């Protein structure tokens, strides 16, 4: 089995959690950890893909909220593509991804 752990992190906290999840999964399967900016659109050959990211204004982050965190709160990094945008890219039959977005 293969897992792809996808995360969005502005301060590094979600990345740390994603890597901890991946480390545990790696005891049972092959695992790759990627940020939403570099996550592949195709999930072919992936059996499990945990996804994690920050919440902004009671929802997943948006490009504007990510930029605001950098400009107003000095976050070190704002991804160009967050998990909201990434979840809209892959075709996920039977998925709740669009509803969750």
């Amino acid at each position: 089995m293969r897992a792809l752990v996808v995360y969005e992190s502005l301060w590094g906290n979600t990345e740390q959690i994603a890597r901890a999840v991946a480390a545990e999964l790696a005891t049972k399967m092959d695992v790759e950890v990627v940020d939403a900016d570099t996550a592949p659109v195709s999930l072919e050959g992936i059996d499990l893909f945990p996804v994690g990211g920050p919440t902004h204004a009671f929802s997943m982050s948006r490009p504007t909220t990510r930029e605001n965190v950098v400009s107003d709160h000095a976050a070190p990094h704002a991804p160009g593509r967050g998990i909201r945008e990434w979840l809209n890219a892959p075709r996920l039959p039977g998925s709740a991804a669009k509803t969750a977005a």
Side-chain angles (χ1 to χ4, degrees):
M1 288 188 66
R2 284 187 63 213
L4 177 69
V5 179
V6 180
Y7 69 89
E8 174 188 334
S9 188
L10 285 92
W11 299 99
N13 298 320
T14 306
E15 179 180 3
Q16 287 180 0
I17 293 168
R19 294 192 182 282
V21 168
E24 186 61 32
L25 289 173
T27 66
K28 306 284 185 205
M29 62 184 71
D30 293 330
V31 180
E32 182 179 0
V33 182
V34 295
D35 62 30
D37 265 338
T38 60
V41 174
S42 172
L43 294 174
E44 187 172 333
I46 302 296
D47 301 298
L48 175 69
F49 62 99
V51 177
T55 57
H56 294 174
F58 305 105
S59 187
M60 288 186 281
S61 71
R62 294 177 175 81
T64 54
T65 63
R66 290 191 293 270
E67 290 303 323
N68 287 342
V69 172
V70 171
S71 64
D72 297 348
H73 301 286
H77 169 257
R81 178 176 71 174
I83 59 170
R84 175 187 294 270
E85 294 84 15
W86 181 77
L87 284 170
N88 283 326
R91 179 164 170 77
L92 305 173
S95 168
K98 294 209 188 284
T99 301

